[in-house]
């Protein structure tokens, strides 16, 4: 073709000239979409859809406009309704999803991504863990609260390496006694032999005691007494079940009672020695020999008629080595509460009939020997003693009963204070008058006259040891001289040219601890001044 | 005459305009007990010490009280200038109980003198009058009090009680 059959005007009075492009297009042999692939070069093209997701109807535009149709995944995505994250749940199947936080520990802001990026935030326990600032083992201390801890070993017995778990796992090691126990290699009872030292022991029996399972390995150790161990028959001279001479009180709750017979002739006899062996100086029967450990009490029953029956002799005799009654530090009382029925004159005790009771403790060591002659109590003589006497401790208490009369105490004391050569008076309490009690009448005034105590180590004639004892005197008093008061108005006077009145000396604190009364005068050693209580206050003089 | 109280230490008051005690706390001054005084019971106060002032001396006020009851009062006075720290003062006062009870009364007289040199001009004496007769409740304990109050606060305005005694003069 050399010209255009139907030229198209391109401008007023002009036509598009035939060029190479048109010539190339005219030369195309088929149908389809035109594509200029180079200068003056054209080719026919057809739209080719992808393998999946899209199809094209009329791809070459021959039958009409090319039409794109979605399919498969793209079609499913397009059909999703709503907002959120798209999730492919199957082949060509998509659904919307939203990030869902757990019930606790994590929160998500904008979980569907609609308003922005989803943002995760820690909460509760996870937030507390994240907030820990120190190192160590994490411990949940309360709801949503955590703290770091370090394993702490006891003072001894266990050590812990890496207790906080920082450099590795905490490792426990035994130490001291526990380590020694763990190191024991054999079986038996563990015995601590020294600090951090243990050894295994085994209970071992003897010829009379058998022990099974002495090491306790197979069960509890069991003790059994071997035949002949405590069998009565094994003891010399005794047969089985022969309890003569046995009193086994040890371990018996409530003690043990040894009953005698049931008739008058069934006496219970305790011999210090066997009848077959009776030397001149035999042994004694001792009661309460261990009384130094616990108080010993020897009690007689209420129906005792003759508690102590002496040999049938009018006068009890003894050799020089023994005595009828002997006691050391005897703190009780020897008391007779009824009319005494002592023996006739010349017997061991012989009291006049007016003496009704001895109620004061007597402490005598060595054993006193009463008079070489009749030892009764005569008027004015408390005791007549002819031998060494250890001394009286606390004088006797006299009780006047049954309207009796007691006289001559002055002479009696004078007699007591006569110390013969070789005698010793160890108690300086010359006269101890406790009180005069009872319904009787005291007709003789008590007067005490004390001369110089030339034998006394102390120059105190009267001593009161009770803090609550009061000394009262209604009349005038003169100290320092055996002289009358200066005049009738003197209450308390110190008469001396060599001695002076000595005030109470005390500190301020001691002064203030008193209950003060106006008129008191003291020497205050804190203030270094004589002070008097005046107008309710302490003033210096 | 008996010694009721002797101060065991000096007491200085300076650099303050607050009314402040001039009695040492060592020992604590003992109170006059309730219902112990009789008509005629008297107490003699004697305080001696040093003082110093600024070049222009400020005012100064000394007061003697029983508890809160004012007995003697100089009111505000101006002592002789003692900027060199060479001032000396002496306060003397006597208090005597006239009537007893909750509305008891006392007679109180006293003065204070200031000396800072040998000249007559260096000596000033001030009375400590009260316009009314003090009323003192003798049924309750009353503690003796001596105070000072400077008109101007300064370290140079310093008064120090070196000696202070209270003596009891019993009624005859």
């Amino acid at each position: 073709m050399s010209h255009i059959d139907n030229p198209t005007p391109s401008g007023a009075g002009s036509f598009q000239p035939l060029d190479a492009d048109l010539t190339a297009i005219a030369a195309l042999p088929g149908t389809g979409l035109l594509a200029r692939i180079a200068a003056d070069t054209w080719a026919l093209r057809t739209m080719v859809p992808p393998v999946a997701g899209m199809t094209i109807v009329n791809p070459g535009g021959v039958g009409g406009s090319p039409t794109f149709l979605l399919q498969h995944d793209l079609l499913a995505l397009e059909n999703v309704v709503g907002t959120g994250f798209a999730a492919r749940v199957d082949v060509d199947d998509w659904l919307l999803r939203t990030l869902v936080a757990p019930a606790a520990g994590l929160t998500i802001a904008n979980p569907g991504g609609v308003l922005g990026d989803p943002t995760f935030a820690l909460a509760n326990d996870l937030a507390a863990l994240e907030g820990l600032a120190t190192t160590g083992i994490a411990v949940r201390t309360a709801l949503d609260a955590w703290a770091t801890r370090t394993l702490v070993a006891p003072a001894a017995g266990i050590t812990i390496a890496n207790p906080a778990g920082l450099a590795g796992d905490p490792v426990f090691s035994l130490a001291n006694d526990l380590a020694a126990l763990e190191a024991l290699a054999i079986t038996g009872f563990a015995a601590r032999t020294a600090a951090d030292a243990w050894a295994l022991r085994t209970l071992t029996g003897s010829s009379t005691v058998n022990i099974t399972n002495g090491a306790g390995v197979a069960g509890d150790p069991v003790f059994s007494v071997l035949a002949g161990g405590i069998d009565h028959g094994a003891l010399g001279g005794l047969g089985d079940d022969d309890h003569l001479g046995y009193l086994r009180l040890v371990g018996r709750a409530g003690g043990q009672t040894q009953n005698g017979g049931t008739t008058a002739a069934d006496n219970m006899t305790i011999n210090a020695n066997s009848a077959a062996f009776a030397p001149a100086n035999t042994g004694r029967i001792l009661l309460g020999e261990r009384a130094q450990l616990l108080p010993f009490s020897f009690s007689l029953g209420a129906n005792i008629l003759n508690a102590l029956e002496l040999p049938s002799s009018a006068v009890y005799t003894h050799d020089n080595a023994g005595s009828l009654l002997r006691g050391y530090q005897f703190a009780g009382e020897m008391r007779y509460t009824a009319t005494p029925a002592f023996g006739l004159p010349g017997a061991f005790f012989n009291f006049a009939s007016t003496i009704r009771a001895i109620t004061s403790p007597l402490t005598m060591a060595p054993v006193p020997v009463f008079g070489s002659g009749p030892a009764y109590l005569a008027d004015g003589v408390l005791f007549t003693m002819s031998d060494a006497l250890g001394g009286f401790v606390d004088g006797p208490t006299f009780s006047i009963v049954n309207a009796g009369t007691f006289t001559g105490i002055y002479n009696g004391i004078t007699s007591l204070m006569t110390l013969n050569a070789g005698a010793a008076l160890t108690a300086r309490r010359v006269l101890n008058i406790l009180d005069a009690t009872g319904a009787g009448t005291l007709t003789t005034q008590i007067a005490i006259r004390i001369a110089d105590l030339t034998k006394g180590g102390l120059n105190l004639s009267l001593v009161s040891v009770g803090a609550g004892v009061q000394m009262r005197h209604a009349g005038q008093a003169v100290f320092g001289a055996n002289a009358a008061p200066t005049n009738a108005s003197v209450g308390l006077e110190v008469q001396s040219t060599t001695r002076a009145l000595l005030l109470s000396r005390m500190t301020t604190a001691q002064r203030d601890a008193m209950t003060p009364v106006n008129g008191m005068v003291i020497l205050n050693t804190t203030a270094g001044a004589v002070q008097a209580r005046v107008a309710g206050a302490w003033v210096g003089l | 005459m008996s010694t009721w109280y002797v101060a065991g230490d000096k007491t200085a008051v300076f650099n303050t305009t607050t009314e402040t005690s001039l009695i040492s706390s060592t020992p604590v001054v003992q109170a006059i007990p309730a219902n112990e005084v009789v008509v005629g019971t008297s107490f003699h106060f004697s305080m001696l010490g040093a003082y110093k002032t600024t070049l222009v001396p400020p005012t100064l006020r000394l007061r003697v009280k029983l508890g809160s009851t004012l007995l003697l009062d100089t009111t505000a006075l101006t002592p002789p200038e003692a900027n060199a720290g060479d001032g000396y003062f002496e306060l003397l006062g006597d208090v005597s109980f006239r009537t007893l009870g909750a509305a008891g009364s006392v007679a109180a007289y006293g003065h204070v003198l200031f000396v800072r040199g040998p000249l007559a001009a260096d000596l000033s004496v001030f009375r400590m009058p009260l316009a009314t007769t003090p009323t003192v409740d003798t049924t309750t304990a009353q503690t003796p009090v001596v105070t000072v109050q400077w008109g101007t606060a300064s370290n140079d305005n310093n008064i120090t009680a070196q000696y202070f005694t209270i003596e009891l003069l019993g009624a005859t």
Side-chain angles (χ1 to χ4, degrees):
Chain A
M1 189 165 85
S2 61
H3 65 280
I4 298 175
D5 295 333
N6 295 305
T8 300
S10 61
S14 65
F15 296 91
Q16 172 65 41
L18 181 64
D19 63 9
D21 282 320
L22 292 177
T23 300
I25 291 171
L28 289 175
T31 61
L33 298 175
L34 282 175
R36 194 173 189 260
I37 59 176
D40 301 333
T41 303
W42 290 74
L44 292 175
R45 293 288 187 255
T46 296
M47 293 185 178
V48 179
V51 175
M54 185 183 292
T55 61
I56 304 173
V57 178
N58 196 20
V62 177
S65 298
T67 302
F68 293 77
L69 297 177
L70 297 177
Q71 62 177 181
H72 307 300
D73 288 315
L74 292 182
L75 179 60
L77 274 172
E78 184 61 26
N79 289 332
V80 168
V81 178
T83 61
F85 290 104
R88 194 172 191 262
V89 298
D90 202 349
V91 176
D92 301 338
D93 189 4
W94 290 72
L95 291 176
L96 288 179
R97 293 286 189 248
T98 298
L99 299 178
V100 179
L106 195 65
T107 61
I108 306 172
N110 194 20
V114 178
L115 300 177
D117 295 333
T119 302
F120 291 76
L122 297 178
N124 308 110
D125 289 312
L126 294 181
L129 277 170
E130 184 61 28
L132 291 175
T134 59
T135 59
I137 299 173
V139 176
R140 194 172 195 257
T141 58
L143 179 65
D144 300 337
W146 288 73
T148 56
R149 296 285 189 257
T150 298
L151 300 178
V152 179
I158 295 176
T159 61
I160 304 174
N162 194 20
L166 301 183
D169 295 333
V171 178
F172 289 73
S173 300
L174 297 179
N176 308 109
D177 289 313
L178 293 183
L181 279 170
E182 182 63 26
L184 292 175
I186 57 177
T187 58
F189 289 105
R192 195 172 194 260
T193 58
D196 303 335
W198 289 72
L200 292 175
R201 297 285 188 258
T202 299
L203 300 176
T204 304
S206 65
S207 60
T208 57
V209 177
N210 180 61
I211 303 174
T212 58
N213 195 21
V217 176
D220 296 332
V222 178
F223 290 73
S224 60
V225 180
L226 297 173
I230 59 170
D231 192 343
H232 293 169
L235 298 177
L238 296 176
D240 286 345
D241 299 327
D242 185 351
H243 290 263
L244 182 63
Y246 284 87
L247 283 175
R248 300 190 67 241
L249 293 174
V250 177
R252 294 295 185 91
Q256 189 174 25
T257 301
Q258 193 83 347
N259 294 318
T262 57
T263 65
D266 293 341
N267 295 323
M268 178 176 288
T269 302
I270 301 175
N271 293 320
N273 293 89
S274 66
F277 181 71
N281 290 314
T282 184
R284 295 172 292 166
I285 296 175
L286 305 176
L287 298 176
E289 275 295 283
R290 295 183 179 177
Q292 71 277 16
L293 301 177
L294 291 172
F296 168 70
S297 175
F298 180 74
S299 177
L300 298 176
N303 297 321
I304 292 297
L305 180 58
N306 296 308
L308 177 62
E309 182 177 311
L310 302 179
S312 57
S313 173
V315 177
Y316 176 69
T317 58
H318 59 83
D319 56 31
N320 292 330
S323 62
L324 176 61
L325 296 175
R326 180 181 182 183
Y328 294 95
Q329 302 290 327
F330 180 60
E333 292 184 355
M334 175 186 286
R335 175 179 296 187
Y336 297 90
T337 57
T339 301
F342 296 115
L344 298 173
F348 184 77
F349 279 113
N350 182 5
F351 295 124
S353 61
T354 54
I355 300 301
R356 301 299 302 272
I358 300 175
T359 58
S360 175
L362 292 175
T363 299
M364 302 178 184
V367 178
V369 177
F370 293 91
S372 57
Y376 56 86
L377 297 180
D379 285 346
V381 178
L382 183 58
F383 283 101
T384 299
M385 305 170 190
S386 61
D387 203 344
L389 177 63
F392 287 104
V393 178
D394 290 337
T397 299
F398 296 93
S399 296
I400 304 174
V401 298
N402 296 336
T405 301
F406 187 86
T407 59
I409 187 172
Y410 178 83
N411 292 331
I413 290 177
T414 300
S415 299
L416 283 174
M417 288 301 293
T418 300
L419 301 178
N420 298 320
L425 179 63
T426 57
R428 294 192 180 88
R429 184 178 294 176
V430 177
L431 177 60
N432 183 23
I433 299 176
L434 299 177
D435 200 355
T437 61
T441 301
L442 179 64
T443 57
T444 301
Q445 295 181 354
I446 297 174
I448 303 173
R449 177 187 174 87
I450 300 174
D452 290 341
L453 294 177
T454 57
K455 292 183 180 296
L458 298 174
N459 291 324
L460 290 175
S461 298
L462 295 175
V463 176
S464 174
V465 297
V469 175
Q470 297 178 352
M471 185 173 181
R472 303 184 183 187
H473 178 60
Q476 295 174 285
V478 174
F479 289 87
N482 184 14
T486 299
N487 61 41
S489 298
V490 170
L492 175 62
E493 179 177 354
V494 177
Q495 283 191 22
S496 176
T497 57
T498 58
R499 303 184 182 96
L501 173 66
L502 178 60
L503 297 175
S504 298
R505 295 161 290 181
M506 62 185 71
T507 65
T508 299
Q510 292 168 333
R511 179 199 71 182
D512 294 340
M514 293 193 302
T515 301
V517 177
N518 286 345
M520 285 182 169
V521 181
I522 65 165
L523 173 63
N524 187 326
T525 56
T526 302
V530 175
Q531 295 180 335
R533 187 74 178 181
V534 178
W538 290 101
V539 299
L541 298 179
Chain B
M1 180 179 295
S2 303
T3 304
W4 185 269
Y5 174 76
V6 178
D9 198 1
K10 63 183 180 182
T11 301
V13 176
F14 58 95
N15 198 27
T16 179
T17 58
T18 302
E19 181 183 11
T20 307
S21 173
L22 265 176
I23 300 179
S24 169
S25 59
T26 308
V28 176
V29 64
Q30 59 181 345
I32 302 171
N35 300 315
E36 287 286 354
V37 298
V38 299
V39 173
T41 298
S42 302
F43 291 90
H44 176 69
F45 294 76
S46 177
M47 177 178 286
L48 299 87
Y51 78 99
K52 179 182 181 180
T53 69
T54 51
L55 288 174
V56 177
T59 60
L60 180 66
R61 184 179 181 184
L62 290 164
R63 281 174 273 198
V64 177
K65 306 176 185 178
L66 278 182
S68 59
T69 303
L70 188 60
L71 304 182
L72 302 170
D73 187 4
T74 63
T75 68
L77 59 86
T78 301
E81 177 270 320
N83 186 247
D86 54 353
Y88 159 86
F89 81 97
E90 179 179 24
L91 183 153
L92 297 174
D94 287 90
V95 177
S96 182
F97 286 85
R98 291 287 186 257
T99 62
L100 307 179
S105 61
V106 300
Y109 293 89
H111 64 269
V112 59
L113 61 86
F114 295 89
V115 183
R116 55 83 34 105
L119 302 178
D122 296 328
L123 172 64
S124 297
V125 181
F126 300 89
R127 298 192 307 157
M128 303 181 75
L130 279 181
T132 58
T133 300
T135 298
V136 176
D137 183 2
T138 63
T139 65
T140 61
Q142 301 289 349
T143 302
V145 177
V146 177
T147 66
V148 64
Q149 186 173 16
W150 287 100
T152 303
S154 170
N155 284 328
D156 279 347
N157 295 330
N158 185 324
I159 185 168
T160 302
Q162 295 283 5
Y163 308 102
F164 177 54
T165 60
I166 302 175
E167 292 170 300
L168 167 66
L169 297 84
T172 58

